[in-house]
Amino acid sequence: VMIDATSASGTCDLRADETSPRVLIVEDELLVAWHLESLMRDQHLEMCGLVPDGQGAIEQAADLDVDLILMDMYMPDCNGMELARIIRQQRLMDGIPILFLSVEKRQSIQLDTLTLGIDGFLTKPVAPEELVVTVINRARRYRKLRSYIINDSLTGLLNHSHLYAQLEYEV
């Protein structure tokens, strides 16, 4: 059964985009990571990778054209809030949607994550349909907004500030 991200028809039409949304999963529990990857692949989402720690997440997100980061909040080397702060400080990654998937049920903690610029917080266990629809919608919205922000509307080329940001990153 395909999950529809836009209507109640029961199918998800990702062909409207040239490529499917690219998702990076940051999860230290291997079995959970594999389950999430399988769920995303079943819905034709492109996986950029499974990363078990914060350092790997920063490297992967910087090197790949990621449309969304699906992240566990509690990891051994750094927690999700610390990692989100680091990602939000990176000029080329500061707009990438970050979605927390965690067992954390305290509303005060969840609200604190939203003040960091996190785009959503889903509590485990989450219904697969809710997870997939949330990921697809946030990734699509990010892609559309990013194209409006970084591309010149007349030429389609990178605008001045993003061209220099990309050059700075490459150097």
Side-chain angles (χ1 to χ4, degrees):
V1 173
M2 297 295 286
I3 299 168
D4 186 350
T6 57
S7 70
S9 67
T11 62
C12 181
D13 184 14
L14 290 174
R15 289 166 290 186
D17 294 339
E18 290 148 19
T19 59
S20 62
R22 298 171 52 86
V23 179
L24 176 65
I25 296 175
V26 184
E27 172 63 62
D28 60 317
E29 293 183 37
L30 198 54
L31 291 176
V32 173
W34 285 343
H35 174 70
L36 292 171
E37 180 184 35
S38 172
L39 196 80
M40 299 297 150
R41 286 192 193 280
D42 288 348
Q43 297 302 319
H44 307 291
L45 294 166
E46 185 177 339
M47 302 311 301
C48 293
L50 296 173
V51 183
D53 57 37
Q55 182 63 34
I58 293 169
E59 292 169 4
Q60 288 279 344
D63 292 341
L64 301 170
D65 189 20
V66 176
D67 294 316
L68 185 131
I69 300 172
L70 183 60
M71 182 187 318
D72 188 10
M73 188 164 167
Y74 298 111
M75 295 175 283
D77 63 337
C78 75
N79 69 41
M81 291 176 70
E82 293 168 344
L83 181 56
R85 280 188 191 103
I86 294 168
I87 290 171
R88 291 295 180 237
Q89 292 173 3
Q90 308 299 313
R91 183 174 176 164
L92 293 176
M93 295 188 294
D94 67 347
I96 297 172
I98 298 173
L99 199 62
F100 275 144
L101 183 61
S102 179
V103 295
E104 182 61 62
K105 294 188 185 333
R106 292 176 288 178
Q107 187 176 24
S108 61
I109 301 290
Q110 292 179 11
L111 291 174
D112 284 346
T113 64
L114 296 175
T115 63
L116 293 174
I118 301 305
D119 296 276
F121 197 106
L122 298 172
T123 305
K124 292 177 186 174
V126 63
E129 298 82 13
E130 179 184 3
L131 175 63
V132 171
V133 167
T134 302
V135 166
I136 290 172
N137 285 333
R138 302 222 180 190
R140 280 183 173 172
R141 183 176 38 196
Y142 169 68
R143 263 193 189 173
K144 185 175 280 191
L145 289 173
R146 180 180 58 186
S147 72
Y148 293 152
I149 292 169
I150 68 173
N151 294 342
D152 178 77
S153 61
L154 182 62
T155 65
L157 300 173
L158 286 177
N159 66 26
H160 180 81
S161 61
H162 280 83
L163 176 65
Y164 279 103
Q166 187 66 39
L167 286 171
E168 182 180 307
Y169 172 76
E170 295 296 331
V171 170

